[in-house]
Amino acid sequence: MTQNKLPALSPSETEILRLVWQLDKATVQDVCDKLPAKRKIAYATVQTLLRRLEKKGYVKHNINGKAHVFFPAVKREHVIKRSVGDFLDRLFGGDPVPLMQYLAEHDKISAEDIEKLKRLTGEK
Amino acid sequence: MTQNKLPALSPSETEILRLVWQLDKATVQDVCDKLPAKRKIAYATVQTLLRRLEKKGYVKHNINGKAHVFFPAVKREHVIKRSVGDFLDRLFGGDPVPLMQYLAEHDKISAEDIEKLKRLTGEK
DNA sequence: TGACGACTTGTACAAATGTACGATATAATG
DNA sequence: CATTATATCGTACATTTGTACAAGTCGTCA
């Protein structure tokens, strides 16, 4: 079983953590580079966020020469579960259907996507 | 067009706002009563949250005798759009498919739900 | 091996957030 | 009309969050 009492993630921390997962292993610089053009955060800020993420137990780091190389310390799956759960509770009182509906109605999800999903749940 | 530059909602504010929508019109007390058993917040805290929500423009209130009766000042649809968008960006880099997948894989969504959704998008 | 640069660390700080006490105002009741 | 029960309001305050400067450290290149 995965550790369950991790401190909550702030929005910005979540953003950074996502990039660390995406990169698998990343220096502060790597994360900065990977930031979406729309959401530019200063190097120093990313640093702080990574530091806090580490203190909270979401990432760890190795030292490669001068650089710190951060990597995830928790399963993505696990964090997603919590985050989605919280989000659902806050905005929809825990009911996932309206969220699906929203996604479906806004062309964020294509019919094919839903097909795929149907197959997934069906086979389960 | 709906007003677009509303200040961001904090998690707790979101929670309260959801209840106001649900109740349509609500006093502080009403909101307190409606709070999920798991998430009990003190009366005074709910008050503050409603005040802040009003200052930010998400709710307004009438006075009925001594009691303040709060009601939504923004379309639910509108807030949901923003919230879901932000959430998706933070946790999934904007891609909704993994979210659907998560929901589907965790029995949060039944096959019937997906059927319904499929019909929805199909008819669009 | 000494100077240069890339990185980290320590520290700071304003704003936002979560939470709530004490004082005040008011509807209702006897 | 005085009392009481109930609400609100102003205010407060510890944390968390977002953001970042300045100083220190450690490879590296000439």
Side-chain angles (χ1 to χ4, degrees), chain A residues 48-106:
Chain A
T48 301
L49 261 1
L50 279 169
R51 247 183 277 162
R52 288 180 186 166
L53 239 14
E54 179 155 36
K55 172 167 292 176
K56 290 188 180 180
Y58 287 95
V59 305
K60 290 187 192 306
H61 80 272
N62 288 327
I63 298 187
N64 179 341
K66 62 197 161 192
H68 284 206
V69 181
F70 293 86
F71 55 91
V74 292
K75 286 208 298 281
R76 185 176 150 85
E77 185 59 22
H78 185 242
V79 171
I80 294 203
K81 184 194 185 83
R82 273 249 309 248
S83 300
V84 174
D86 290 350
F87 180 71
L88 237 36
D89 284 345
R90 263 184 270 122
L91 202 55
F92 300 97
D95 180 5
V97 177
L99 175 55
M100 297 287 265
Q101 240 157 44
Y102 169 80
L103 293 173
E105 285 171 10
H106 287 69

Side-chain angles (χ1 to χ4, degrees), chain A residues 11-51:
Chain A
S12 289
E13 284 168 356
T14 306
E15 217 173 332
I16 300 300
L17 182 54
R18 176 176 72 80
L19 296 176
V20 175
W21 273 319
Q22 192 167 127
L23 293 164
D24 193 46
K25 284 174 184 341
T27 64
V28 177
Q29 196 59 60
D30 293 337
V31 173
C32 285
D33 295 344
K34 203 74 177 180
L35 280 170
K38 275 299 159 54
R39 178 93 174 79
K40 276 307 173 197
I41 309 175
Y43 185 99
T45 303
V46 172
Q47 240 172 181
T48 301
L49 261 1
L50 279 169
R51 247 183 277 162

Side-chain angles (χ1 to χ4, degrees), chain B residues 28-29 43 47 51-52 66-68:
Chain B
V28 177
Q29 196 58 62
Y43 184 98
Q47 237 173 184
R51 245 183 279 160
R52 287 181 186 165
K66 63 197 161 192
H68 284 205

Side-chain angles (χ1 to χ4, degrees), chain B residues 59-102:
Chain B
V59 305
K60 292 186 190 307
H61 79 272
N62 288 327
I63 298 188
N64 179 342
K66 63 197 161 192
H68 284 205
V69 181
F70 293 86
F71 56 91
V74 291
K75 287 208 300 277
R76 187 176 148 84
E77 184 58 24
H78 185 242
V79 171
I80 293 202
K81 184 194 185 83
R82 275 248 309 248
S83 301
V84 174
D86 291 350
F87 180 70
L88 236 37
D89 285 345
R90 262 184 271 123
L91 202 54
F92 299 98
D95 181 5
V97 177
L99 175 54
M100 298 286 266
Q101 238 157 48
Y102 168 80

